[in-house]
Amino acid sequence: MNKEARVQFVINTLKELYPTIPVPLDHKDPYTLLIAVLLSAQCTDVRVNQITPILFAKADNPYDMIKMSVEEIKEIIRPCGLSPMKSKGIYGLSHILIDKHDGKVPQSFEALEELPAVGHKTASVVMSQAFGVPAFPVDTHIHRLMYRWNLSNGKNVVQTEKDAKRLFPRELWNDLHLQIIWYGREYSPARGWSLEKDIITRTIGKKSIIDEMSKVK
């Protein structure tokens, strides 16, 4: 199967498995999504979804957020990890949104990436999920699967994102990045992985990975 056929197999399989695609992080608008994505760094989405209702009950907009102190924010988000950095980021970006953007989340990669604690991946998630702009945020699942599927060399997430954007049609990016995340969690996890369940890797995966997994059986 050539690369084009492998890419099409991925698209078809994911569409079949996930005809409707839930967004993993609970949110109600661009601001709450931005905060949830920021909190998800090195933290599970499940944990984030447990913490955000507590935070958003006190402040679900930048105006209410800056009424709280960094210390208060830190106490609430502590279970998400990296709370000193994240609390400063949330407080700082809320101020900037008010001062520079009329309290609204900006709709550009550049403006988002200028906000404290907001990197390229966080900006990409917000642009794709809040504003519908084609983007391909690469998390650990996508990075792992693109390598397993022999669609990227796995050197770094920057390269993986370039490969994903080059191989997959632009109009499918926003759906695909979510579908791959769900697939990675359910069928192709980092640990406790069963090749039998993982139809995509089993069909188009890197030969060395398939051989390695076959030995483990």
Side-chain angles (χ1 to χ4, degrees):
M1 206 186 288
N2 65 22
K3 193 167 266 191
E4 204 173 295
R6 285 188 284 124
V7 166
Q8 198 55 51
F9 178 75
V10 169
I11 292 168
N12 295 347
T13 306
L14 292 174
K15 195 170 184 182
E16 202 174 298
L17 287 170
Y18 306 104
T20 56
I21 314 154
V23 174
L25 292 166
D26 297 338
H27 66 285
K28 64 173 187 175
D29 57 20
Y31 179 76
T32 52
L33 176 64
L34 173 61
I35 301 304
V37 179
L38 190 155
L39 289 175
S40 72
Q42 294 182 37
C43 179
T44 65
D45 292 347
V46 172
R47 175 63 58 84
V48 173
N49 288 339
Q50 290 166 348
I51 298 304
T52 47
I54 304 165
L55 179 64
F56 296 153
K58 285 181 174 286
D60 62 358
N61 62 77
Y63 297 94
D64 287 335
M65 195 65 80
I66 64 166
K67 289 175 189 168
M68 297 170 71
S69 67
V70 171
E71 201 56 43
E72 285 174 296
I73 298 169
K74 186 166 82 174
E75 278 310 305
I76 295 170
I77 68 169
R78 193 181 293 282
C80 292
L82 306 176
S83 58
M85 182 200 79
K86 290 177 181 176
S87 56
K88 281 180 194 161
I90 290 168
Y91 185 83
L93 73 81
S94 297
H95 253 298
I96 292 168
L97 293 183
I98 293 166
D99 297 341
K100 286 183 69 176
H101 302 287
D102 298 320
K104 294 185 174 69
V105 175
Q107 298 190 33
S108 83
F109 286 97
E110 296 73 23
L112 282 167
E113 288 179 37
E114 282 173 5
L115 298 171
V118 175
H120 179 66
K121 185 198 148 204
T122 298
S124 296
V125 173
V126 172
M127 289 298 285
S128 63
Q129 292 172 17
F131 303 125
V133 175
F136 215 111
V138 172
D139 74 344
T140 53
H141 296 290
I142 294 173
H143 188 52
R144 179 175 70 252
L145 268 54
M146 288 287 289
Y147 178 72
R148 282 182 179 174
W149 297 343
N150 204 18
L151 297 177
S152 188
N153 60 22
K155 279 184 181 167
N156 55 61
V157 292
V158 175
Q159 187 56 50
T160 299
E161 183 182 334
K162 277 184 192 163
D163 292 336
K165 286 178 168 177
R166 182 172 49 81
L167 292 168
F168 294 114
R170 184 180 169 84
E171 67 273 14
L172 298 182
W173 289 355
N174 289 355
D175 283 351
L176 276 169
H177 96 258
L178 286 173
Q179 289 169 323
I180 296 172
I181 289 169
W182 286 114
Y183 186 89
R185 289 176 180 176
E186 293 185 57
Y187 299 99
S188 194
R191 297 185 188 85
W193 175 34
S194 159
L195 198 56
E196 212 169 296
K197 268 177 74 181
D198 185 351
I199 181 172
I200 297 180
T201 308
R202 201 173 72 232
T203 307
I204 65 155
K206 226 183 210 332
K207 187 177 181 304
S208 58
I209 289 174
I210 294 170
D211 290 348
E212 195 60 42
M213 283 303 291
S214 303
K215 283 182 207 163
V216 176
K217 285 177 79 178

